[in-house]
Amino acid sequence: MSIDRRVIKYLNWPLLGLTVALFVVGAVNLYSASAVRLEDGIALAPYFEKQLVWGLVGLAGMVVFMLFDYTRFHALAWPLFFLTLLLLAAVPVFGSTVYGAKRWLDLGPFSFQPSEVAKITILVVGARLLSRKPEKLGWGEFLFIVFVGMLPAALVVIQPDLGSSLNLLLLLAGIILYRGLKGRVLKVLAIIVPAVLPLGWFFLHDYQKRRILTFLDPTNDPLGAGYHIIQSQIAIGSGRLWGKGFLQGTQSQLRFLPEKHTDFAVAVFGEEWGFVGCLLLLSLFAMFLMSIFSTARDARDRFGSFLAAGVFFYFFWQILINMGMVLGLMPVVGIPLPFMSYGGSTTLVNFCLIGLVQNVSMRRHTFRHNRSLQFRGEAAYASKK
Amino acid sequence: MPIRSESSQDSHPAPKLGLILIQVLILALFFAFGLRFWYLQVHKGEDFEAKARQNQLREEEVYAPRGRILDRSGELLAVNQPAYALAIVREDVEDEEATLRKVAEWTSIPYEQLSERLEAGRKKIKPFDRLILVPDIEFELLSLIESNKVYWPGLEIVIRPRRVYRQGPLLAHVLGYVAEANEKELKERPELSMGDMVGKQGLEYMIEDTLRGDKGLKRVEVDATGRRLKEFMIEQPVAGQSVALSIDLPLQEKAFSLLEGQAGGIVVLDPDTGKVLSLVTQPSYDNNAFAAGLTKTQWNALRSHPRNPLQNRVIQSVYPPGSVWKLLVAGCALHEGMLDPKATTFCSGSYRLGRRVFRCWKKGGHGHVDLMKGLVDSCDVYFYQLGERLGVDRISEYAFACGFGNPTGIALPHEKGGLVPTRAWKRERFNEPWHGGENLNLAIGQGFTLAHPLQVARFVAALLNGGVLYRPSLLLDEEPEAQGEIPLSEAHRKLILESMIKTVEDGTARRIKRPDAVLGGKTGTAQVVRLGTERLDAEDIPYKHRDHAWMASWGQKGDQRYVVVCMVEHGGGGGSTAGPIVREIFRHLFGEPEEKVAGSGN
């Protein structure tokens, strides 16, 4: 692997800085969320320690994803896709059950979630499919991509992991919209999708239905499905302007907050750091997203642009859904907040994806190594013209 | 080569406008989130801070023991024992359904029932307050739950005083029982919370406010799993006031056992105060069962019992008073000045009024009968002619004045008033005028007339104490309350008392006679159905058609005076059935008759 000196030179420093900053904020927050108070002070913060380890693993993963030329993914897309399908299909058979769901594959000393791998795969396959032509999507291409995306999403949803499969589909939807749909496709979808969406209701589990109903009226079931929403709002709201201070959040420290180290990490943060802290966190996330987005905008080629756009949407939806949920603006769906929520696989994948964006970003000024890759589709397009 | 090739620009996936739009959307989204944070943390921050405090600090009710109930000599009748209830704190529960299923498995209470209870409590009890799920759990079950409770956050064992009636059925109709407050009671009394016990029957119901006391309040700091970190009392609970009854426990036991196997009631009064010394109803029921919550089967068994053990026969059942009523009619005639006690009527065994013939209980007749003989031998014919002369208006007015036709006002719920018929009542009830023949039936305590044993006892007490109608009272410290006076002169009263003594001496109440005390009595045999002209032996008549047996009596020995009234449903003859029971009661009150003691000594 030859590395151009300019590649290092063009490293996207703001993105790296924002990523590390978010990770640090998240880790500190996890310390507070998971700290176990013994007689004299804080004794253990198990999630914090593990998260630090995962952070280091993630940084390594990020470096790996930065170094080789991302265009190689173009050729790897399909093999990766079928491997992912195999892994996902193996989960219901060999997976271990945690909280009533089979999401993990045990690999000796560590276990991982194939649904995390699926995120990278969808991104790569999506970028490859979408970058073939420059013009807006027609029916054929659109349906094919939807079909391709549905396969892993369906395998994830039966685990059951509604959050992850939703994430996969939204990611795909994001980059499809990023490329654009032909007018006639857009018109038909604008009619069909709102009509079909309510049918999805019948495929939801009871608890999922309850969450949606509860979202519409949380007081309806203040201690069933509404509990999370109410408790997280109490935690955040009671932080007020300046927050209660690090490790001082009574709601999280007295363990009123459920899932406070995973999906509801922001509630812990909001309680301890207040409105001021939350604004800073929001700014960090906004800059982080903008930084990824500008990489997509400025990418050297369409494949790279779609890869970066995919990563953008991957993070964008998670932030939107998680914060929306914690703030009581959306139904409760188990989606983590990047770098804030505890999670080994997620953290690793997050860093790898940032590595991928760096990869695209760093090479935006270099010549195309693989011209044929870029122009094959365009030539065909041009010849058609 | 330029850094950005032409083709790259051309082939850029998204149009420029779209790119800008996406950036604007991101900013808008984050602005919206920021706004939401502002709303929650700054605008509503104070509210949420208050809620956060409330989350950690819960207020818990501390149950106050109910006042104890004692008999007149301090014997304990109703006490409190610590009992265990299973409560649920919804806020701490992880999975409501699974938790309820577990409880259902432990207690074998159907899941649906528990779930119904939880739903009912949802609106009434704050999520972080305890909702009593199972009001009473057995000790064996308690240890099982206690050891498994850690896996089921939100379940709590609550210790609270449970009412225990030491004597159970013996005093069930006096004490009543407590059970969980119902919808209506919860609405009426804001101090009650779901699962609280309130008096439902008897004294428990009537003097609920005295007995209940005030719950205390405890502040408990908890974490989210409901684990208690600290607790301190804010308000001490105040135990309910204890109450001493005028009931004499050994007497009650005696009377209760005398009625064993029968259906009927006994009341023993202190004639000079109206205090109730004994109030017995048979059959009875175990009032302890209610505190634990009756099962459907238990309840149905009680309800469908042929002799209805829930019925307090002393105050809630009314019967034709039979010949006991003749005391009143005699009083009425004397009071009206329409009667010369020495004047006689001839009893041939029947009395003719128009075309109807009214029979005396004694087929062959009593011959010449004056008032004394009429009462002592309970001659129907004598009273037929009195009834004819007095008429319904006089008799009913007098009967009301003697306390019949209305509840006595004893501190027990659901007391009946009985029935004193009047012309107006008959018009109202049957839309028919009063017939002359009905005066005759009225005069011997048959026909429409209905009274309960306590009314009879109060009347007898008034005859004995100089004419005062006291409100029957169960509470030892209550001042006697005179409700009125029977309209009867001293001389006439004595005359009637004398007739009662004679009745014991050599009349229908001979069975209660004893040499060492002055006893007066009047028996009554109240017809349930008209059985034609033939008088049959009780054994030959189906139970439900047998006559009710009455005995109204009083006794005096030294300065001890008592009124004893006994009524045995379908008991047959008053003298033969109620008599021996009353005799035994006086034996208990006055001791063994001295003559007999002396006799055995010789």
Side-chain angles (χ1 to χ4, degrees):
Chain A
M1 191 183 297
S2 63
I3 298 167
D4 199 316
R5 242 187 52 239
R6 275 179 297 181
V7 167
I8 306 298
K9 186 178 149 199
Y10 290 125
L11 185 77
N12 190 335
W13 288 105
L15 180 58
L16 182 65
L18 287 165
T19 306
V20 171
L22 279 172
F23 177 78
V24 169
V25 170
V28 167
N29 191 53
L30 268 182
Y31 182 82
S32 181
S34 72
V36 178
R37 248 182 243 232
L38 295 186
E39 307 271 309
D40 41 357
I42 311 299
L44 289 164
Y47 291 116
F48 169 71
E49 286 150 23
K50 281 194 190 168
Q51 185 75 350
L52 285 188
V53 174
W54 280 111
L56 291 177
V57 174
L59 280 173
M62 182 178 82
V63 171
V64 170
F65 269 72
M66 275 161 62
L67 294 184
F68 65 92
D69 189 338
Y70 63 88
T71 51
R72 285 161 193 245
F73 263 134
H74 196 270
L76 282 172
W78 289 110
L80 201 60
F81 183 71
F82 290 112
L83 180 69
T84 306
L85 287 187
L86 263 178
L87 284 173
L88 285 174
V91 170
V93 188
F94 305 107
S96 51
T97 307
V98 179
Y99 295 130
K102 280 191 174 181
R103 296 177 188 174
W104 279 265
L105 275 185
D106 274 319
L107 294 179
F110 75 105
S111 56
F112 83 110
Q113 279 179 278
S115 59
E116 296 294 336
V117 178
K119 287 168 189 168
I120 299 180
T121 307
I122 283 275
L123 209 125
V124 172
V125 170
R128 174 170 173 158
L129 285 172
L130 286 165
S131 62
R132 230 164 53 196
K133 291 184 207 165
E135 86 270 34
K136 291 182 172 182
L137 278 180
W139 273 116
E141 257 189 303
F142 171 72
L143 289 177
F144 183 64
I145 289 175
V146 169
F147 172 71
V148 166
M150 280 300 204
L151 286 177
L155 287 170
V156 171
V157 87
I158 59 170
Q159 288 183 356
D161 187 350
L162 184 67
S164 289
S165 81
L166 198 66
N167 203 191
L168 292 183
L169 290 179
L170 284 174
L171 187 163
L172 207 57
I175 47 177
I176 287 171
L177 288 174
Y178 180 65
R179 170 152 160 199
L181 290 160
K182 286 209 166 118
R184 55 177 197 276
V185 181
L186 204 60
K187 276 178 207 154
V188 174
L189 286 181
I191 296 164
I192 288 180
V193 172
V196 169
L197 222 49
L199 289 179
W201 179 258
F202 299 106
F203 295 102
L204 293 177
H205 283 274
D206 279 346
Y207 75 93
Q208 290 161 342
K209 288 181 189 171
R210 212 156 52 222
R211 282 174 176 180
I212 291 171
L213 289 177
T214 303
F215 165 70
L216 297 174
D217 180 15
T219 55
N220 178 30
D221 183 11
L223 291 156
Y227 182 78
H228 291 57
I229 299 175
I230 291 172
Q231 289 301 323
S232 81
Q233 289 186 39
I234 289 177
I236 293 172
S238 67
R240 306 188 71 177
L241 187 60
W242 296 104
K244 295 175 187 169
F246 185 53
L247 294 177
Q248 302 302 310
T250 56
Q251 295 306 288
S252 44
Q253 297 304 328
L254 288 172
R255 298 195 285 132
F256 280 99
L257 260 175
E259 316 277 337
K260 62 190 173 196
H261 58 281
T262 57
D263 298 349
F264 284 87
V266 166
V268 176
F269 185 85
E271 187 183 13
E272 301 197 337
W273 302 98
F275 180 60
V276 174
C278 289
L279 278 195
L280 285 172
L281 183 67
L282 278 183
S283 315
L284 275 183
F285 271 121
M287 289 190 289
F288 171 77
L289 281 179
M290 290 299 242
S291 171
I292 300 173
F293 183 74
S294 52
T295 303
R297 188 190 58 203
D298 301 336
R300 182 185 60 182
D301 55 9
R302 279 203 304 274
F303 184 62
S305 180
F306 275 109
L307 279 181
V311 175
F312 167 78
F313 281 110
Y314 168 74
F315 285 122
F316 175 77
W317 291 121
Q318 287 192 54
I319 294 166
L320 175 81
I321 294 173
N322 181 285
M323 284 230 181
M325 161 184 89
V326 173
L327 287 172
L329 298 169
M330 270 180 199
V332 174
V333 182
I335 283 191
L337 185 61
F339 301 108
M340 294 290 288
S341 299
Y342 170 77
S345 314
T346 320
T347 304
L348 177 57
V349 168
N350 288 346
F351 273 109
C352 290
L353 290 177
I354 293 304
L356 196 61
V357 175
Q358 288 284 7
N359 196 329
V360 175
S361 179
M362 289 183 325
R363 287 178 175 79
R364 69 187 184 274
H365 300 306
T366 59
F367 298 108
R368 288 177 186 133
H369 296 281
N370 189 348
R371 284 180 156 266
S372 62
L373 168 77
Q374 182 59 31
F375 293 119
R376 199 169 50 196
E378 271 165 43
Y381 174 64
S383 71
K384 255 190 203 167
K385 254 187 187 172
Chain B
M1 197 89 181
I3 293 168
R4 265 183 220 174
S5 68
E6 280 286 310
S7 60
S8 176
Q9 286 288 26
D10 285 352
S11 64
H12 199 278
K16 261 214 170 96
L17 192 69
L19 293 176
I20 293 165
L21 202 70
I22 288 178
Q23 294 180 56
V24 169
L25 273 177
I26 300 170
L27 290 176
L29 175 71
F30 279 87
F31 184 71
F33 281 165
L35 214 61
R36 180 71 177 171
F37 273 116
W38 178 84
Y39 174 78
L40 291 177
Q41 300 185 300
V42 181
H43 184 69
K44 287 266 186 180
E46 215 166 316
D47 295 356
F48 281 115
E49 202 179 3
K51 276 193 183 148
R53 270 200 306 274
Q54 204 179 28
N55 249 345
Q56 317 149 34
L57 289 179
R58 293 180 187 170
E59 279 174 2
E60 232 166 53
E61 289 178 334
V62 185
Y63 294 96
R66 223 173 151 76
R68 298 186 301 176
I69 303 179
L70 307 92
D71 91 331
R72 66 186 304 123
S73 51
E75 211 56 55
L76 290 170
L77 308 178
V79 294
N80 305 290
Q81 260 176 16
Y84 305 93
L86 184 61
I88 189 165
V89 178
R90 284 178 289 137
E91 184 153 272
D92 300 337
V93 177
E94 272 168 11
D95 181 341
E96 269 178 17
E97 196 189 321
T99 307
L100 289 191
R101 292 222 180 269
K102 197 72 202 169
V103 174
E105 185 194 316
W106 283 334
T107 58
S108 58
I109 294 171
Y111 167 78
E112 290 69 31
Q113 200 178 321
L114 294 170
S115 149
E116 215 170 273
R117 207 176 159 90
L118 189 71
E119 289 312 313
R122 217 178 271 290
K123 284 171 229 126
K124 293 192 201 91
I125 290 185
K126 283 181 246 156
F128 39 81
D129 280 345
R130 298 181 302 198
L131 165 76
I132 302 286
L133 200 57
V134 184
D136 204 349
I137 45 181
E138 298 295 327
F139 190 78
E140 302 87 74
L141 198 56
L142 173 76
S143 43
L144 173 75
I145 294 176
E146 198 59 65
S147 59
N148 279 290
K149 185 161 80 79
V150 280
Y151 307 110
W152 300 96
L155 289 184
E156 265 185 53
I157 299 286
V158 177
I159 303 178
R160 49 179 196 168
R162 178 176 60 186
R163 202 55 152 172
V164 173
Y165 304 102
R166 288 259 173 110
Q167 294 81 15
L170 180 65
L171 282 152
H173 287 100
V174 174
L175 302 179
Y177 54 82
V178 294
E180 275 186 33
N182 60 28
E183 241 10 78
K184 195 171 148 246
E185 286 154 343
L186 290 174
K187 217 169 271 170
E188 280 167 5
R189 297 172 174 267
E191 72 273 22
L192 291 178
S193 38
M194 201 176 146
D196 279 0
M197 297 290 180
V198 290
K200 295 277 185 175
Q201 267 296 347
L203 278 174
E204 292 277 28
Y205 170 78
M206 297 300 281
I207 54 169
E208 167 74 15
D209 292 334
T210 312
L211 292 171
R212 191 170 53 235
D214 296 318
K215 280 188 276 196
L217 207 57
K218 199 158 59 172
R219 184 161 287 158
V220 185
E221 193 184 327
V222 289
D223 70 6
T225 54
R227 207 167 42 162
R228 282 142 190 275
L229 306 175
K230 270 180 230 156
E231 54 178 71
F232 50 97
M233 196 74 87
I234 309 171
E235 269 171 56
Q236 291 288 346
V238 180
Q241 254 174 278
S242 289
V243 169
L245 301 190
S246 54
I247 295 288
D248 179 6
L249 185 58
L251 175 67
Q252 178 82 6
E253 278 165 352
K254 182 75 194 171
F256 191 77
S257 69
L258 288 169
L259 263 186
E260 195 75 61
Q262 311 256 38
I266 295 172
V267 56
V268 180
L269 285 186
D270 174 348
D272 299 305
T273 57
K275 298 282 177 209
V276 178
L277 298 172
S278 176
L279 194 153
V280 164
T281 284
Q282 282 275 26
S284 191
Y285 64 94
D286 186 2
N287 46 354
N288 287 305
F290 285 86
L294 279 192
T295 64
K296 264 214 164 74
T297 342
Q298 282 174 305
W299 177 241
N300 288 337
L302 276 176
R303 292 306 298 262
S304 61
H305 192 289
R307 293 195 192 176
N308 191 9
L310 293 173
Q311 182 90 359
N312 186 338
R313 289 174 161 77
V314 176
I315 59 164
Q316 292 169 356
S317 302
V318 287
Y319 312 88
S323 304
V324 171
W325 193 248
K326 289 170 183 164
L327 297 172
L328 179 122
V329 175
C332 175
L334 290 168
H335 171 67
E336 297 287 334
M338 294 174 70
L339 179 64
D340 172 3
K342 295 284 171 241
T344 61
T345 301
F346 185 77
C347 169
S348 63
S350 63
Y351 186 79
R352 181 177 289 272
L353 181 78
R355 284 192 294 174
R356 284 183 66 189
V357 174
F358 290 81
R359 293 183 186 283
C360 184
W361 66 269
K362 193 169 179 186
K363 228 175 165 184
H366 289 96
H368 291 280
V369 181
D370 65 359
L371 176 64
M372 191 57 78
K373 189 170 162 62
L375 281 169
V376 171
D377 291 339
S378 206
C379 173
D380 291 335
V381 168
Y382 184 86
F383 282 91
Y384 288 146
Q385 58 87 20
L386 265 192
E388 194 187 350
R389 282 165 54 201
L390 287 167
V392 60
D393 302 325
R394 289 198 188 86
I395 297 179
S396 61
E397 192 192 338
Y398 192 78
F400 281 120
C402 291
F404 291 93
N406 286 305
T408 64
I410 189 176
L412 290 176
H414 313 302
E415 188 193 357
K416 287 250 173 78
L419 177 63
V420 174
T422 61
R423 285 180 204 276
W425 168 84
K426 199 182 170 205
R427 168 76 56 197
E428 170 94 354
R429 177 80 174 72
F430 297 106
N431 196 24
E432 267 180 38
W434 186 265
H435 301 298
E438 286 164 343
N439 289 330
L440 276 59
N441 271 329
L442 176 62
I444 64 160
Q446 294 291 159
F448 302 117
T449 322
L450 295 170
H452 61 59
L454 188 62
Q455 288 172 326
V456 173
R458 181 176 56 166
F459 172 65
V460 174
L463 289 174
L464 198 62
N465 68 19
V468 188
L469 285 169
Y470 284 109
R471 189 166 69 83
S473 162
L474 284 162
L475 305 178
L476 191 62
D477 299 329
E478 202 174 42
E479 283 295 309
E481 180 193 330
Q483 295 170 309
E485 222 166 296
I486 56 170
L488 200 60
S489 72
E490 180 84 7
H492 291 154
R493 214 166 38 74
K494 288 222 164 109
L495 190 64
I496 291 174
L497 288 176
E498 201 180 309
S499 78
M500 292 178 83
I501 296 168
K502 275 204 144 157
T503 307
V504 172
E505 238 129 65
D506 48 24
T508 50
R510 278 189 306 274
R511 279 166 219 263
I512 69 170
K513 184 174 163 185
R514 54 186 287 156
D516 59 334
V518 186
L519 289 175
K522 184 81 197 80
T523 59
T525 304
Q527 271 182 19
V528 176
V529 287
R530 201 175 293 278
L531 288 166
T533 51
E534 285 301 306
R535 286 258 168 199
L536 297 168
D537 284 334
E539 286 72 29
D540 300 334
I541 307 168
Y543 176 79
K544 62 176 183 173
H545 292 159
R546 285 182 207 163
D547 298 337
H548 298 314
W550 280 95
M551 168 73 89
S553 67
W554 55 268
Q556 179 159 8
K557 183 186 179 190
D559 51 3
Q560 280 180 282
R561 294 216 288 188
Y562 302 102
V563 167
V564 179
V565 171
C566 172
M567 205 288 314
V568 183
E569 266 180 32
H570 309 295
S576 55
T577 310
I581 293 173
V582 172
R583 182 184 63 214
E584 290 308 308
I585 289 172
F586 279 115
R587 194 189 289 252
H588 177 90
L589 289 167
F590 295 149
E592 290 293 312
E594 271 157 31
E595 184 192 54
K596 212 175 170 185
V597 175
S600 66
N602 284 340

